[in-house]
């Protein structure tokens, strides 16, 4: 067996994020989907019948014929699970897999604020992986999470600025896509020709998650970053792509040109270089006066590159800009996949597999 | 003849704003549309044929049968003109009417920054009307303007705050409706399922117009308000209703509850009380967590009431809120109509009529 | 008490159709909403809190403060009920009201095909009211229904043609609005930028309901019309307004001009003349090459006038045209209201009230 | 030089169809874009600056740096040109290229009804290519056209039925995408939340083009097919994908199941088998009750496969079904590209190149 050849299970495989995992994992060089699991309603049926497949691309044939399993460790024989579970059930199920010795790469929010669980963006805080060693579910299992979809994109733009300057505060208005609410999600009568200036829990996540991600690992804990972030979140009738209109304040004297340069010249850490899903560039800076736009730029880098435009001096704070990221790729399934690739590349998946081989089987 | 009974001409009557003037003036107690004018292409044809009528309501029959005139003072026999002209021609034509002794109530941008021309919102700066006396086109004619559509709504929300507190700065993201770009305006391929983070000239207008409107009349000039405003303007696929996500900073220590109270308790100046198009309330504060929304609240007060919701403390500035206003009513034709009503109520239209009667006819 | 002064109860008052009833009944000259009822979840709460009010207009204050009742005859003291109930519960509840002596004017589908229940459009088949006398729920109660939203509009256009000519067959493609699916209805990810070529049960209703409505009352039963109708129903991202692209075949030799004339000259039966919600005209024929359009014409006649355009000869059948009707007004609450007005005007409500007064109370 | 290695010029390269040509020709095994031409306004500028690039994918770098040429034969050194010209100029320019000995593969409508010009869909009427030998522009140049975007998709579904049965008449309602109108095309205020039941010239094209395409080559002319087609064309707020709701009548007795079978078992002519852009399958039949949908199925086969669903017996005609095709790929640039591939495969491009080499140069 090649070093990077892992059997992957998908938890919550029939939902919108689960489907995106399956789409992105099709023909992946390191990962093969070998089992899919969903709620009792779907279990026992072939995936092609259980899933209301939303994408314009067909279901990868190797997955279409899989029988949907129940979300229990003993039902899934795999080296790592990707969790696309709803937060109402993710907490318990993910813990069960971790206790059974299975690495869990989760898109759910349940463990994002857990002291020992990395809230990971490989290009931003790969060092936070060390927290895994502090987890103690038993059997070598562990949990890694990626941030909320709106947080991820914004952080991708803010990290190069924190790296280069002393960032103090961020005021942001989010224009978020419909796919961020999952399926069925937002009723069409609320969406067509409308904007809803409220997304439950979103402004709170944007106030807290960035401070952990951008924080400093200090022994066995993360020291949150000294960054104040205030967000107003709206839902707009766009399918994919969260747009952030941000205005940032520095503790030093920084102008628009310096911000654009910092974004253009930022290089992701070397540890991410060999990851198959790593975008290049990490952030692209667009000069057109009307960029970025969801319809034109959301698929940049296969949905993994974040686009920034309209970088201008701001008379109220210091610099303002507009940032676009793909909420279901970079901000969800693609981000989680990149996390799994980092785990593989850094040996965490092999170590878990070795532990599992030497321990009595779970269940 | 009753004191308030004026013959109205519409300049640029076939365009989107011109049509809205005609719709709002239907059955108006003080004003009767007696002539309509447009470019040479339309002149000479009945209005019903010349206009590509956009509204779901039929053309008022008395206007439908009017012959479209050319945009020249001698072609239009009326007591006041409303200008919905494109800015490429408004400057010259409006001046010609003013010189011919006709009061011009303009929605165009050409004279908004002119030293002697009021940039008027009746509930906000009625005192600026006094500038009219400083105008000297001859013959009693004058020009009054209303602000840009995005500025108007925002100012309606900011004025009560300036009235009550010491407002220092405003950071705002605008989510602007398609009708703000007129017709044909934004191509549908750019609009459907998309957001465009750029509207030509809009961010500049938002940086300058509020300072004049909220400024203080000092003799024969306006002292601009000491307010810093930074805007990011986006176009969203909504028909009507500009949504502003604003965050404001005060020089004093103000919290969300005080802001909501100031908005709720603000009373428009007494001088506006008898105006037929005056909304009540001027600003409504909504408590629902997902309000205001264009689809649900844009028609409040016949499109003249501004709606504010989601008033919250802001960790970066002081208080943030979401504001909605009807861009083609409050922000364009309805605002201009209210200006004309104030001019009538304060005697400016009668005075111009009297001047015109005693002077040799224009042209 | 005036002859036409009735206390109205709304069953299913919190849903989308219930809300439309309340909006249309505001300031109605004959009817006053005195009680509102909904499912157990809402019962006991003030209407303003129980309803997720969808319209841009505020809730009529007299209704906003009503306490929501349970859907039982004894809980509602009124002269007639309008039913906006979901079909999953409408059958039993409507029967209970009829048995308790209450006239039920229903928008639900449950009794539409019942032998003794009129499927009523006042301008089309007012004579079918006589079926009421054949109903025997006891106590003077009865049930009257209006057709499905897509059927109603189409029938309004077909009836004048059946009246004038010998209509044989209709091929129609329906482009139906989102509001036809109620709230929450269609998920936005299925609606935005998409068409769904399927609406459950709709093609079947269009094949059967018209034959009953356009049928002939023969003693105590309806002889279905000898008309073949084939429909393909699609959902399009429009808020209100079902558009029908129809092609019709006659047994005689009829051309487009004759069809347009028949539509233009049709006069609704005299029995409808005094009804407050009766539109004038019943059908309008538009000559513009791009009419009718939902955005421009759906509100014609307050949503009660049906618009027809693009009347052309058809090389496959005889004549083709495009028809637009307001699905939640003409096709639902407005249609039911017009039915209730006909019942009042023809004495059916008074008779039921008299019966109820002389019989022992229900329940 | 390899047999299939051609230098391609794009006429009208900066418009929407021109851009799609460039996108589809990127990495093509047989064709290389070596020159791009557009109107005088663009000529002389690098393509990346001249084009308002609409796609989410970047401009292929080899094209981005090309200098835009004027649309004259002497300005473009290539073996074949693809014409995405507007019909207002296509007639003259295409003729000039043909006279200069250049094969013209045109998407414009100007020569579609020309007696000697094939209106070509390779899977449907490859034999019509023989008409080329009857063209006499001189120098070996010739013109081949593909049908209108709405015609193409429909014909792909009708041809297998004509092949298997005796098709007499087709009644169809088209729900056409915004991209069919080009850019800027439909104003957003007409598109968002609306349907426009009129597309200029479209119903006429659908009445005439199919009869030529499905016609029989008889010596040096096409005998039109004895097929009656009646269309109602509407514009819906969808980006890509024309949906046809069709009802067909046969001269023999055919039911839905037979139609579905004929579509499923149809095999494209052998002459198309080696063409790189040929889709497999040509037509896919979908069983889901709500298929096909633009959002889910328009990209099938890279936009070249046509999707059919909801095949049902029709009480008015014989069988009805819903058909979806990609209007800018299968119905425009992709269809033209497939035509060019057939021309290459059948030796027409080599022959023209040989003729050009032996004749004195044009111009």
């Amino acid at each position: 067996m090649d070093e990077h050849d892992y059997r992957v299970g998908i938890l919550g495989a029939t939902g919108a994020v689960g489907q995106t995992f399956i789409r992105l994992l099709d023909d992946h060089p390191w990962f093969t989907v070998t089992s899919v699991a969903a709620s009792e309603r779907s279990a026992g049926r072939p995936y092609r019948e259980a899933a209301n497949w939303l994408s314009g691309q067909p279901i990868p044939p190797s997955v279409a014929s899989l029988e949907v399993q129940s979300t229990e460790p003993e039902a899934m024989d795999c080296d790592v699970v990707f969790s696309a579970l709803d937060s109402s059930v993710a907490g318990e199920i993910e813990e069960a897999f971790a206790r059974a010795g299975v690495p869990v790469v989760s898109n759910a929010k349940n463990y994002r604020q857990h002291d020992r669980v990395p809230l990971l963006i490989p290009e931003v805080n790969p060092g936070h992986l060390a927290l895994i060693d502090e987890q103690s579910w038993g059997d070598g299992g562990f949990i890694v999470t990626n941030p909320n979809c709106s947080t991820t994109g914004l952080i991708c733009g803010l990290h190069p600025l924190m790296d280069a300057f002393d960032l103090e505060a961020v005021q942001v208005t989010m224009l978020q896509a419909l796919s961020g609410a999952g399926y069925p999600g937002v009723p069409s009568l609320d969406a067509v020709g409308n904007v809803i200036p409220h997304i439950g829990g979103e402004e709170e996540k944007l106030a807290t998650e960035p401070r952990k991600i951008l924080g400093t690992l200090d022994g066995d804990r993360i020291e949150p970053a000294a960054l104040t972030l205030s967000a107003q979140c709206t839902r707009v009738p766009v399918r994919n792509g969260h747009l952030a209109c941000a205005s940032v304040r520095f503790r030093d004297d920084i102008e628009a040109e310096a911000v654009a340069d910092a974004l253009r010249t930022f290089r992701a850490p070397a540890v991410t270089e060999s990851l198959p899903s790593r975008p290049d560039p990490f952030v692209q800076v667009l000069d057109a006066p009307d960029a970025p736009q969801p319809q034109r730029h959301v698929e940049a880098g296969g949905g993994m590159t974040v686009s920034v435009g309209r970088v201008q001096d701001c008379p109220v704070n210091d610099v303002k800009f507009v940032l676009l990221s793909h909420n279901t790729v970079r901000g969800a399934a693609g981000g989680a996949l990149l996390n799994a690739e980092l785990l593989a590349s850094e040996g965490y998946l092999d170590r878990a597999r070795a532990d599992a081989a030497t321990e009595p089987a779970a269940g």
Side-chain angles (χ1 to χ4, degrees), chain A residues 113-160:
Chain A
Q113 294 301 331
H114 187 289
D115 274 359
R116 300 290 184 269
V117 171
L119 186 50
L120 188 70
I121 299 176
E123 295 96 332
V124 172
N125 61 350
H128 289 198
L129 269 193
L131 276 182
I132 290 175
D133 300 328
E134 312 294 330
Q135 296 186 21
S136 53
W137 310 98
D139 286 335
F142 58 83
I143 300 176
V144 165
T145 62
N146 55 280
N148 171 270
C149 56
S150 50
T151 302
T152 300
L154 188 59
I155 291 298
C156 292
L158 295 180
H159 172 60

Side-chain angles (χ1 to χ4, degrees), chain A residues 48-359:
Chain A
R48 72 160 56 79
E49 292 174 16
N52 176 22
W53 187 253
L54 299 168
S55 163
Q57 308 303 322
I59 307 178
S62 61
V63 175
S65 56
L66 289 177
E67 182 184 315
V68 176
Q69 307 297 320
S70 60
T71 52
E72 293 160 5
E74 51 269 37
M76 303 179 78
D77 185 24
C78 52
D79 301 314
V80 56
V81 291
F82 290 83
S83 167
L85 292 167
D86 188 81
S87 61
S88 61
V89 297
E92 246 177 274
I93 296 174
E94 293 179 0
E95 180 176 337
F97 277 83
R99 288 197 185 287
V102 183
V104 177
V105 181
S106 174
N107 182 60
K109 71 177 177 191
N110 306 58
Y111 291 98
R112 284 183 192 152
Q113 294 301 331
H114 187 289
D115 274 359
R116 300 290 184 269
V117 171
L119 186 50
L120 188 70
I121 299 176
E123 295 96 332
V124 172
N125 61 350
H128 289 198
L129 269 193
L131 276 182
I132 290 175
D133 300 328
E134 312 294 330
Q135 296 186 21
S136 53
W137 310 98
D139 286 335
F142 58 83
I143 300 176
V144 165
T145 62
N146 55 280
N148 171 270
C149 56
S150 50
T151 302
T152 300
L154 188 59
I155 291 298
C156 292
L158 295 180
H159 172 60
L161 305 188
M162 289 202 72
D163 218 47
F165 315 116
D166 192 358
L167 184 63
E168 180 183 359
V170 180
Q171 180 79 32
V172 65
T173 300
M174 300 295 306
L175 287 74
Q176 301 188 214
L178 299 168
S179 59
Y183 185 88
V186 184
S188 53
L189 286 171
D190 289 342
V192 172
N194 200 23
V195 173
I196 309 170
H198 180 247
I199 300 175
E202 203 82 350
E203 296 177 357
E204 294 73 13
K205 288 178 204 162
L206 272 160
T208 53
E209 294 187 4
R211 291 166 49 85
K212 177 171 177 181
I213 304 161
L214 296 169
T216 313
L217 184 67
D218 181 12
D220 63 353
R221 57 182 292 282
I222 306 281
E223 179 65 30
L227 176 71
T228 305
L229 202 148
S230 175
Q232 292 176 291
C233 293
T234 71
R235 184 76 69 192
V236 293
V238 161
R239 297 188 78 80
N240 292 309
H242 286 359
L243 199 79
C245 294
S247 170
V248 297
R249 194 158 71 216
F250 299 95
R251 291 196 187 81
D252 29 19
D253 191 31
I254 304 297
E255 297 190 345
E257 195 45 47
V259 161
D261 280 349
L263 291 169
R264 272 196 203 94
T265 57
F266 177 80
R267 290 291 164 266
V271 75
T272 65
E273 262 167 34
S274 64
L275 308 185
S277 301
R278 179 212 186 204
D280 183 26
F282 176 53
V283 175
Q284 67 173 341
V285 179
L286 301 168
D287 294 322
D290 59 355
Q293 295 178 25
Q295 279 291 342
R296 298 199 187 182
H297 306 106
V298 77
E299 297 292 346
M304 290 294 286
T305 289
V306 166
S307 298
V308 173
R310 298 198 62 69
V311 185
Q312 302 175 77
D313 290 324
C314 172
V316 170
N317 293 302
D318 289 316
V319 177
K320 54 188 175 182
F321 55 82
V322 175
L323 178 150
L324 173 73
S325 66
H326 197 307
N327 54 298
T328 66
V329 179
R330 178 85 246 189
L337 173 54
L338 197 64
N339 285 352
E341 291 172 0
L342 183 64
L343 289 166
S345 169
E346 295 298 293
Y348 286 89
L349 297 189
D350 287 344
R351 200 192 320 161
R353 188 153 56 183
D355 287 355
T358 58
E359 305 272 338

